[in-house]
Amino acid sequence: MTAADLSAPPLTRANPIARFTAAVFGWLPLSLAVLALRFALAVPFWKSGMTKWDGFLTLSFGAQQLFVDEFKLHLFGGEYAFPFPQTMALLSALGETVLPVLLVFGLATRYAALGLLAMTAIIQLTVPDGWANFHLPWAAMALSIMTFGPGRIALDRLLGLERPRT
């Protein structure tokens, strides 16, 4: 038995399946998995955000009209118009462009994931049929990032804004 085997929890030492699983998957660093999660969550929001702009800080007419005419909040069995649709369109476009960039760079990572989780909740209220294919995976990714943090491959760690997990 090696020193690493002795430092493992007793059930892991005794269980050959647990030892095999640790040997097969133990090499994968958590930071790599969290980096992949950050990218996976950032991509769909970034792509959507890029469709909402006509130029630098110029919100497209189509994006504004979506919030005025098409998007409705589905609450308590009814459909309700968004309050302040132009403001909501601008906030949506800003969130869909800024938050993914923060996620990819690992800057204010947990807060960016929280922001995307909040956006996912609002999107769920707007498009309730997308929960299984889109909203549930996005929420799970955001919650995972909020739980595990940015990992080592992040500006948060480089700048000392996030402490290593102990």
Side-chain angles (χ1 to χ4, degrees):
M1 227 179 224
T2 67
D5 289 337
L6 293 175
S7 68
L11 287 177
T12 305
R13 285 193 307 250
N15 187 336
I17 295 172
R19 282 198 318 268
F20 176 76
T21 303
V24 171
F25 297 107
W27 63 270
L28 183 66
L30 180 63
S31 292
L32 185 61
V34 175
L35 179 64
L37 271 175
R38 289 182 0 225
F39 272 86
L41 182 57
V43 166
F45 284 94
W46 174 261
K47 284 183 168 185
S48 177
M50 289 295 96
T51 66
K52 292 184 172 62
W53 298 100
D54 274 341
F56 183 71
L57 295 181
T58 305
L59 195 60
S60 72
F61 178 76
Q64 294 178 43
Q65 286 308 110
L66 282 174
F67 281 86
V68 172
D69 296 330
E70 287 193 37
F71 290 166
K72 304 289 183 209
L73 290 170
H74 295 80
L75 299 169
F76 309 113
E79 290 185 2
Y80 302 95
F82 268 92
F84 310 106
Q86 281 81 15
T87 304
M88 293 300 289
L90 179 63
L91 290 174
S92 170
L94 285 172
E96 287 180 336
T97 53
V98 172
L99 295 175
V101 169
L102 290 175
L103 264 188
V104 167
F105 285 110
L107 186 60
T109 309
R110 292 177 195 248
Y111 295 104
L114 177 63
L116 291 178
L117 180 63
M119 287 187 71
T120 301
I122 294 168
I123 293 167
Q124 172 60 33
L125 292 174
T126 307
V127 187
D129 293 337
W131 73 271
N133 293 333
F134 302 105
H135 310 151
L136 184 60
W138 293 344
M141 286 187 272
L143 287 169
S144 297
I145 293 166
M146 291 165 52
T147 301
F148 295 113
R152 292 182 181 176
I153 310 167
L155 286 176
D156 282 343
R157 284 290 295 274
L158 183 67
L159 299 173
L161 301 173
E162 181 83 22
R163 285 191 260 162
R165 291 181 70 104
T166 56

